[in-house]
């Protein structure tokens, strides 16, 4: 592996398109930086895969982004953050380059949740992998031990978004079913975290079925703010992030399909390059 010491773009990785919602917010808040987005669209979804497979796939993506000049990578994917982040930080970074960083998106959300819930009852809607990992429960309990956390897996929500069915009448059934299930677990929930970066595209349906007065938390805004604060605390890392205001996209799938789907998330045309990861 050949790594450059020159400043490079901020890497953003996701198994599919959901991380684009994180990237969009980061670019809004910090447009001066260069960004490089990588979607492992050929192997999505990650939500139902084992810890070992998610770690292997995420590691391959991280190495690719390091090789392309990134010194800092955001795992814009809750499943990768839940199943791979700790191993990458503890096992891989010390040997690859201890000066590079890989950050997730679960902790920034856990950090702010204490200031968002009024009655300390929080719900999580996420993929099966994220819910089974209990990453949100663990992170929130570490920071806010008085908060009760309940979670429900939403296995059909990502396909609804990926296949452009988020606005379809059929989506109502699946969205309502999982929200009702969550509220039945704990009727006192006053704040719901959308623990998957695809879910903001289902927001009109989610708002329709979430009880009145319950706050819905989408991650992008909080991850972007957290990153800007991280830069203030870590100027050495910030100085390694190039500032040309550019954004480039990589996919492991068909580039035309990526362009079409990415427009749903970004509302602007994109140019994308196809890359291969470990296969």
């Amino acid at each position: 592996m050949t790594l450059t010491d020159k400043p490079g773009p901020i890497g953003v990785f996701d198994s599919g398109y959901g991380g684009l919602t994180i990237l969009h917010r980061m670019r809004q808040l910090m447009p001066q930086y260069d960004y490089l987005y990588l979607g492992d669209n050929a192997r999505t979804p990650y939500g139902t895969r084992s810890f070992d497979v998610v770690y292997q796939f995420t590691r391959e993506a991280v190495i690719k982004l390091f090789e392309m000049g990134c010194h800092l990578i955001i795992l814009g994917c809750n499943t990768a953050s839940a199943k791979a982040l700790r191993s990458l930080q503890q096992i891989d970074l010390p040997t690859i380059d201890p000066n590079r960083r890989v950050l997730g998106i679960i902790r920034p959300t856990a950090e702010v949740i204490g200031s968002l819930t009024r009655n300390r009852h929080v719900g999580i809607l996420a993929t099966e992998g994220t819910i089974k990992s209990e990453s949100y429960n663990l992170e929130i309990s570490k920071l806010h031990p008085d908060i009760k956390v309940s979670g429900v897996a939403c296995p059909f929500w990502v396909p609804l978004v990926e296949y452009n069915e988020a606005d379809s009448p059929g989506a109502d059934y699946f969205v309502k079913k999982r929200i009702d299930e969550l509220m039945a677990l704990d009727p006192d929930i006053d704040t719901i975290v959308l623990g998957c970066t695809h879910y903001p595209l289902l927001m009109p349906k989610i708002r329709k079925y979430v009880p009145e007065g319950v706050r819905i938390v989408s991650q992008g805004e909080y991850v972007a703010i957290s990153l800007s604060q991280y830069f203030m605390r870590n100027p050495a890392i910030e100085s390694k992030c190039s500032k040309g205001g550019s954004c480039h996209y990589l996919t492991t799938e068909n580039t035309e399909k990526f362009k079409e789907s990415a427009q749903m998330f970004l509302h602007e045309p994109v140019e994308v390059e196809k890359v291969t990861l470990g296969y």
Side-chain angles (χ1 to χ4, degrees), residues 26 72 78 91 125 163 179 186 214 221 232 246 265 267:
M26 287 164 56
L72 170 70
N78 284 273
I91 299 169
L125 295 169
Y163 291 102
I179 291 171
D186 182 3
V214 173
E221 175 186 354
M232 285 187 275
S246 69
F265 290 83
H267 309 294

Side-chain angles (χ1 to χ4, degrees), residues 2-3 10 19 57 79 106 133 145 181 192 200 218 228 236 269:
T2 304
L3 301 181
I10 298 169
F57 287 179
T79 302
I106 292 175
S133 75
E181 189 179 332
I192 294 176
S218 183
S228 69

Side-chain angles (χ1 to χ4, degrees), residues 113-176:
I113 205 69
S115 64
L116 300 178
T117 175
R118 299 179 304 279
N119 69 3
R120 321 310 276 174
H121 289 256
V122 170
I124 311 293
L125 295 169
T127 65
E128 183 181 352
T130 299
I131 294 297
K132 281 186 174 177
S133 75
E134 296 194 336
S135 294
Y136 274 98
N137 307 56
L138 293 169
E139 286 294 334
I140 291 173
S141 68
K142 276 192 285 188
L143 299 165
H144 314 286
D146 61 318
I147 292 180
K148 179 183 177 182
V149 181
S150 306
V152 165
C154 308
F156 294 104
W157 287 22
V158 169
L160 284 171
V161 172
E162 298 256 335
Y163 291 102
N164 205 12
E165 295 289 330
D167 295 326
S168 69
D172 286 74
Y173 169 80
F174 295 104
V175 171
K176 183 178 187 300

Side-chain angles (χ1 to χ4, degrees), residues 10-67:
I10 298 169
V12 180
F13 169 69
D14 186 25
S15 59
Y17 301 102
L20 293 169
T21 60
I22 301 293
L23 174 66
H24 179 63
R25 284 295 201 165
M26 287 164 56
R27 290 179 67 198
Q28 281 184 320
L29 186 65
M30 298 173 287
Q32 69 271 32
Y33 294 99
D34 296 313
Y35 295 91
L36 182 60
Y37 182 89
L38 170 56
D40 190 11
N41 307 89
R43 301 188 291 194
T44 197
Y46 280 15
T48 55
R49 296 186 184 272
S50 69
F51 271 75
D52 288 345
V53 169
V54 172
Y55 166 58
Q56 176 194 328
F57 287 179
T58 306
R59 184 179 186 277
E60 290 168 1
V62 164
I63 288 172
K64 172 67 77 173
L65 288 168
F66 280 160
E67 289 175 340

Side-chain angles (χ1 to χ4, degrees), residues 95-125:
T95 54
I96 293 172
D97 184 346
N99 295 314
R100 292 178 193 251
R101 296 289 183 271
V102 180
L103 305 176
I105 57 175
I106 292 175
R107 185 168 182 92
T109 312
E111 286 174 345
V112 301
I113 205 69
S115 64
L116 300 178
T117 175
R118 299 179 304 279
N119 69 3
R120 321 310 276 174
H121 289 256
V122 170
I124 311 293
L125 295 169

